[in-house]
Amino acid sequence: MLDFRYHALSMVAVFLALGIGIVLGSSLGDTVVSNANRDLAGSLRRDLNAARADASSARAGVADRERLIEAAAAP
C-alpha cells in the first residue's frame, strides 16, 4: 500500500508544476498576446484604409457617371 510520503510528494509536485505554469504563462503569455494584438490592429488599420480608398474611388465613379448622364441628357 502507498505510504503518506508518496501522496505528499505527488501533491508537492502538482503544486510546483502549477506554480511554474502560472509564472511562465503570465510572463510569456503577455508577450504573445500583446504581439498578436499589435498585429491585429495593424491588419485592421490596413483593411480600413483600403476600404476608404475603395469608397473614395466608387464616389468618384458615381460622380463621373452623373456628369455623363447630365451631359447626354442636356438639349
Side-chain angles (χ1 to χ4, degrees):
M1 183 149 208
L2 293 178
D3 192 9
F4 177 72
R5 187 174 19 165
Y6 296 112
H7 181 68
L9 185 61
S10 67
M11 292 298 289
V12 168
V14 166
F15 286 118
L16 181 65
L18 180 64
I20 290 172
I22 289 173
V23 168
L24 288 178
S26 66
S27 64
L28 294 177
D30 187 37
T31 304
V32 170
V33 169
S34 81
N35 285 342
N37 189 20
R38 195 172 19 256
D39 292 343
L40 181 62
S43 174
L44 289 173
R45 194 171 292 114
R46 285 189 298 275
D47 290 347
L48 178 62
N49 289 336
R52 284 180 176 163
D54 289 345
S56 177
S57 175
R59 273 191 230 105
V62 168
D64 288 344
R65 185 188 69 185
E66 292 296 323
R67 281 195 295 275
L68 179 65
I69 290 172
E70 287 176 8

